[in-house]
Amino acid sequence: MRRSGQLRRDVGDAMTAEPVLRTLLVLDIVGFAHPQRTDPARLRLRKELFELLDQTLVAAGVDPGHAPRVDLGDGVIVLLDPQLAATRVVEVVTGRLAASLAARNRRSPGDERLRLRVALHRGEVLIDPYGFVGRALVEASRLSNAAALRGQLDATAADLTLIVSDQMWRQLTGPHDEQLGPGGYQPVSVSTHDVTTRAWIHVPDHPTGPGAAARPSLATPPVYRSILAVDIQDSTAATRTDPVKERLRAELYRLLDQALSGAGITEQQHDPACDRGDGFLLLLHPVDDVPKTLLLGGLLPGLSAGLAAHNRGAPPAERLRLRAALHAGEVHHDANGPFGGPIDVTFRLLEAPAFKEHRRRRGEPLVLVVSGDIYRSVVWHEYPGIDRDAYRQLFHVRVAGRSHQGWVRTA
């Protein structure tokens, strides 16, 4: 029997497949279709591109055979395991790949020069018997073909230029990030026929780029996690004595364990829950068996059902009503626990006055807010069991100077 969260790779209907998270690395050869390039020259460039790609993956600690790719003819999209730190991908692209490309071009005549447009994005994709599909793939491809990126290459003699999606940038950096830092990355607008978004361009040999001077880095590399934060409503009410609070906490963790088990999520697929006194923080690993659809359509409904059953037999002072917030992004761990910008965003959503007021007006045992990232990557696509019309953008929060949407489930 297949667990509810297991990726269904054996079906051809993409509507029944679970979305899985991937880091998307796009490499495009500049001027591949130039009329002065012969087909044998194009063949040599493609061969060297894939050789450089394999070397880059190995440098990042990735087995090239375990990194599926989509051949674009004049380039490639590589689908990377999201458990590989995104900062590591940036490091090898702007370091190892840029250096190898420069060394290769010093040995090659002008017409044989290999220059690359590189794009980095992250998002949910679907897998079917024919390959991969998903808006994230379209967005990654459009990034690599952005007019701003092409213009940057036209204005410089660089061998490689990198563009990072704003969604990825927000996960990679903070206001005082020392690994990527804003220096050397310039914001640009990327326009397509249906939307205009922001992205960030970097030329690796830029004199003010991240490699210009040695910078201290955090002792722990960031890891991607789905982030679920939960608070007990009215935990400090006058009617709740400490013994009552103790019983409520014990019941909350019992219901969490029950919901995790019901959704088929094992201990190996999430970090230990972090206790917050009147709630918990749960970080779930980006594995294919735990897609975000499983959290929205399995874990949270299971938790809500358990709460409802508990409340039917509990006295008023011991009924559990919860606020929950769901977000995702790169987090760090140290000896004291997890930390990082995405966790800050999650708790800011959870504690937003507009969300607290919404909780007070609602009677159901659990109310949920999801970030704009979760809404756009999962909820909007209306996977089975998820009704996007049930979500309403109720408020914004600002964290580190950036605005984040709060989409509240209202039905």
Side-chain angles (χ1 to χ4, degrees):
M1 179 178 294
R2 180 182 289 109
R3 293 192 293 106
S4 59
Q6 185 171 342
L7 178 66
R8 294 186 284 271
R9 294 186 178 86
D10 55 341
V11 295
D13 183 0
M15 290 304 294
T16 65
E18 301 284 4
V20 294
L21 185 73
R22 292 293 183 268
T23 298
L24 305 175
L25 177 65
V26 187
L27 292 85
D28 272 347
I29 299 173
V30 176
F32 189 77
H34 193 282
Q36 295 302 313
R37 276 189 164 151
T38 65
D39 282 348
R42 295 186 179 103
L43 189 65
R44 289 192 294 272
L45 290 175
R46 275 174 52 85
K47 178 177 182 294
E48 295 199 14
L49 170 66
F50 283 100
E51 288 175 350
L52 287 170
L53 171 60
D54 287 348
Q55 295 168 13
T56 302
L57 293 175
V58 170
V62 176
D63 181 347
H66 293 163
R69 55 197 68 178
V70 177
D71 188 353
L72 303 175
D74 60 350
V76 61
I77 303 178
V78 188
L79 290 89
L80 298 171
D81 189 327
Q83 297 190 79
L84 173 66
T87 49
R88 181 59 183 154
V89 180
V90 172
E91 288 170 1
V92 295
V93 167
T94 59
R96 174 62 182 266
L97 177 58
S100 298
L101 193 59
R104 181 260 180 212
N105 285 339
R106 284 194 294 270
R107 301 188 301 267
S108 302
D111 289 346
E112 294 286 326
R113 188 181 179 197
L114 176 59
R115 303 175 73 207
L116 298 178
R117 297 189 305 273
V118 181
L120 187 62
H121 187 37
R122 174 182 275 155
E124 276 27 64
V125 301
L126 296 174
I127 304 174
D128 67 12
Y130 313 105
F132 310 92
V133 66
R135 187 167 71 178
L137 287 164
V138 175
E139 292 168 343
S141 181
R142 288 176 176 174
L143 280 173
S144 69
N145 284 294
L149 185 63
R150 291 176 177 272
Q152 182 70 45
L153 272 168
D154 290 342
T156 179
D159 297 301
L160 179 152
T161 299
L162 170 68
I163 186 168
V164 180
S165 68
D166 191 56
Q167 181 251 29
M168 177 68 89
W169 174 259
R170 285 185 281 113
Q171 293 179 9
L172 287 169
T173 63
H176 304 295
D177 187 272
E178 294 292 347
Q179 296 190 36
L180 289 178
Y185 283 77
Q186 63 181 82
V188 297
S189 293
V190 176
S191 298
T192 63
H193 67 278
D194 55 355
V195 69
T196 297
T197 61
R198 185 166 66 166
W200 299 80
I201 290 179
H202 171 59
V203 181
D205 58 358
H206 192 290
T208 60
R215 295 183 175 187
S217 61
L218 291 167
T220 58
V223 291
Y224 187 92
R225 294 289 186 265
S226 294
I227 306 165
L228 175 64
V230 170
D231 262 357
I232 298 174
Q233 183 76 11
D234 299 325
S235 62
T236 59
T239 56
R240 287 185 166 165
T241 64
D242 285 348
V244 168
K245 292 176 184 177
E246 182 180 24
R247 290 193 292 274
L248 289 178
R249 280 165 49 82
E251 181 65 9
L252 175 61
Y253 280 98
R254 184 189 73 79
L255 292 173
L256 172 62
D257 289 342
Q258 176 182 291
L260 287 168
S261 177
I265 300 173
T266 68
E267 291 183 357
Q268 291 72 37
Q269 294 169 335
H270 64 83
D271 297 347
C274 298
D275 183 61
R276 300 185 62 247
D278 58 353
F280 62 81
L281 172 69
L282 185 66
L283 303 179
L284 297 116
H285 300 179
V287 292
D288 289 356
D289 283 354
V290 189
K292 296 186 182 78
T293 48
L294 181 61
L295 307 182
L296 291 168
L299 174 63
L300 288 166
L303 181 58
S304 183
L307 289 167
H310 163 82
N311 289 345
R312 283 193 292 270
E318 299 198 22
R319 291 173 186 165
L320 277 166
R321 299 171 72 234
L322 304 181
R323 297 191 319 275
L326 183 64
H327 183 43
E330 304 275 345
V331 306
H332 293 266
H333 293 79
D334 63 14
N336 302 306
F339 66 97
I343 293 179
D344 298 339
V345 170
T346 307
F347 281 117
R348 192 66 62 85
L349 292 169
L350 187 70
E351 300 295 337
F355 187 46
K356 288 184 175 181
E357 177 60 28
H358 175 79
R359 164 72 280 185
R360 282 191 286 270
R361 296 196 307 266
R362 304 292 294 191
E364 61 265 40
L366 183 149
V367 296
L368 171 68
V369 60
V370 303
S371 67
D373 287 349
I374 298 293
Y375 180 83
R376 288 186 295 272
S377 64
V378 179
V379 174
W380 186 87
H381 295 279
E382 293 193 296
Y383 291 105
I386 299 174
D387 178 11
R388 75 178 179 196
D389 292 334
Y391 288 79
R392 179 164 61 95
Q393 185 187 327
L394 193 63
F395 60 89
H396 288 77
V397 297
R398 291 192 69 81
V399 181
R402 294 169 177 159
S403 179
H404 299 267
Q405 297 172 340
W407 288 82
V408 177
R409 196 178 194 283
T410 59

